[in-house]
Amino acid sequence: SMFNQSLQAQGCCTFYCQSCGEVIIKDRKLLRVLPLPSENWGALVEEWCCHPDPFANKPLHPQENDCFIGDSFFLVNFRSDLWQPRPELAPVETQCSSENHLKLKPKANTKVICKRCKVMLGETMSSETTKFYMTEIIIQPSERKFSIIPRSQFVQSVIAQCLVELSAARSTFRFTIQGHDGKVYILLWLLNSDSLVIESLGSSKSIKKFPLLEDNLKADSCSAWNAVKVLYQPCIKNRNAEL
């Protein structure tokens, strides 16, 4: 994938906040870039093993020079970056009990926030392991100068690539997009992964019909783009609950 190639091809990589360009991890030498199992692998183990799950309560944590890649996130080890400016943790939420003491809410301080633009980049999984979302982080070789990619263009390309890779690897074509709270916002059905969007020369009608293409037109003089074709159904306001 694009993520594997960009990480493995270079000795040192720098992690940036995609929204503002803030350096999150600087000059990290990655010796191992490995894909994680499916997020539902635990259920599959129970189906295939005749004995208790040997991997129960044994999470996969990356070492100092590792980067583990999930379906929509990176797992990296922050232990060696203590000397660097770290992203902020969200303020710890508190609540009052009947004894007038303050209690910490579980997992209230796991959010990782960009110091510059305050965007949520990911969450802490343990004292050393951090999960970064693919839609919020961009990874480049350290010697390459960072250039801002239009936000809509970047998110579109990341989601489109995830859909293509998951459908090829698992023969799955229906997806849900969920929020951090687990709430489903959109249902997606991948129809075609080999479509082509072509703009007629000298015409701006495509920009009016597809406003999100405006970023692509400004960034690239090409008049054709690879695209995926999806059917989507919104789930907000209790729509399509049964579907």
Side-chain angles (χ1 to χ4, degrees), residues 73-90:
F73 59 86
F74 305 103
L75 285 186
V76 294
N77 189 302
F78 245 6
R79 177 175 53 187
S80 63
D81 293 278
L82 294 177
W83 58 275
Q84 295 185 13
R86 295 166 62 93
E88 294 179 353
L89 292 177

Side-chain angles (χ1 to χ4, degrees), residues 107-122:
K107 297 184 179 180
N109 62 337
T110 60
K111 296 180 181 179
V112 179
I113 309 297
C114 176
K115 287 185 175 181
R116 180 185 294 178
C117 66
K118 306 303 180 183
V119 165
M120 182 176 174
L121 304 175

Side-chain angles (χ1 to χ4, degrees), residues 164 190-198 224-230:
V164 171
L190 179 61
L191 301 180
N192 294 91
S193 58
D194 57 354
S195 298
L196 198 64
V197 177
I198 301 177
W225 304 270
N226 293 319
V228 297
K229 186 176 182 180
V230 298

Side-chain angles (χ1 to χ4, degrees), residues 153 197-202 213-225:
Q153 179 183 346
V197 177
I198 301 177
E199 179 209 11
S200 57
L201 295 177
L213 289 177
E214 186 174 2
D215 290 335
N216 298 57
L217 294 174
K218 291 179 180 178
D220 194 349
S221 58
C222 179
S223 58
W225 304 270

Side-chain angles (χ1 to χ4, degrees), residues 53-70:
D53 184 0
F55 305 106
N57 301 320
K58 294 182 180 179
L60 296 172
H61 290 305
Q63 299 300 313
E64 181 176 337
N65 298 110
D66 295 344
C67 179
F68 294 167
I69 302 178

Side-chain angles (χ1 to χ4, degrees), residues 2-241:
M2 174 183 67
F3 307 108
N4 279 325
Q5 293 172 359
S6 64
L7 292 176
Q8 291 177 336
Q10 304 292 333
C12 290
C13 297
T14 298
F15 289 58
Y16 300 91
C17 170
Q18 196 279 324
S19 298
C20 68
E22 175 76 2
V23 174
I24 307 302
I25 301 179
K26 186 178 181 181
D27 296 337
R28 171 66 67 87
K29 188 172 185 179
L30 297 173
L31 302 179
R32 296 196 308 168
V33 179
L34 303 173
L36 287 168
S38 164
E39 294 182 8
N40 300 318
W41 68 273
L44 297 177
V45 170
E46 294 180 358
E47 297 292 335
W48 285 94
C49 290
C50 59
H51 49 77
D53 184 0
F55 305 106
N57 301 320
K58 294 182 180 179
L60 296 172
H61 290 305
Q63 299 300 313
E64 181 176 337
N65 298 110
D66 295 344
C67 179
F68 294 167
I69 302 178
D71 293 337
S72 58
F73 59 86
F74 305 103
L75 285 186
V76 294
N77 189 302
F78 245 6
R79 177 175 53 187
S80 63
D81 293 278
L82 294 177
W83 58 275
Q84 295 185 13
R86 295 166 62 93
E88 294 179 353
L89 292 177
V92 178
E93 299 178 13
T94 58
Q95 60 182 1
C96 293
S97 66
S98 57
E99 294 86 3
N100 294 324
H101 292 298
L102 293 179
K103 291 185 178 181
L104 298 182
K105 287 186 178 180
K107 297 184 179 180
N109 62 337
T110 60
K111 296 180 181 179
V112 179
I113 309 297
C114 176
K115 287 185 175 181
R116 180 185 294 178
C117 66
K118 306 303 180 183
V119 165
M120 182 176 174
L121 304 175
E123 56 188 303
T124 56
M125 306 301 293
S126 70
S127 59
E128 296 179 354
T129 302
T130 301
K131 174 194 286 188
F132 289 116
Y133 304 128
M134 286 183 179
T135 53
E136 309 303 328
I137 292 289
I138 189 167
I139 305 173
Q140 291 187 347
S142 296
E143 62 269 17
R144 184 185 302 175
K145 186 178 180 181
F146 177 80
S147 57
I148 294 290
I149 300 175
R151 179 68 183 161
S152 60
Q153 179 183 346
F154 179 79
V155 173
Q156 284 184 82
S157 63
V158 170
I159 293 180
Q161 183 168 344
C162 287
L163 295 179
V164 171
E165 291 183 3
L166 288 172
S167 63
R170 302 174 194 169
S171 298
T172 300
F173 303 95
R174 291 171 179 161
F175 306 90
T176 60
I177 294 185
Q178 300 178 336
H180 302 299
D181 54 358
K183 180 181 178 182
V184 177
Y185 285 87
I186 302 174
L187 303 179
L188 285 178
W189 188 351
L190 179 61
L191 301 180
N192 294 91
S193 58
D194 57 354
S195 298
L196 198 64
V197 177
I198 301 177
E199 179 209 11
S200 57
L201 295 177
S203 173
S204 60
K205 293 182 179 180
S206 60
I207 298 181
K208 296 179 181 179
K209 291 183 179 180
F210 304 102
L212 288 176
L213 289 177
E214 186 174 2
D215 290 335
N216 298 57
L217 294 174
K218 291 179 180 178
D220 194 349
S221 58
C222 179
S223 58
W225 304 270
N226 293 319
V228 297
K229 186 176 182 180
V230 298
L231 171 68
Y232 71 92
Q233 294 286 350
C235 297
I236 57 176
K237 298 181 180 179
N238 297 321
R239 294 176 61 184
N240 298 308

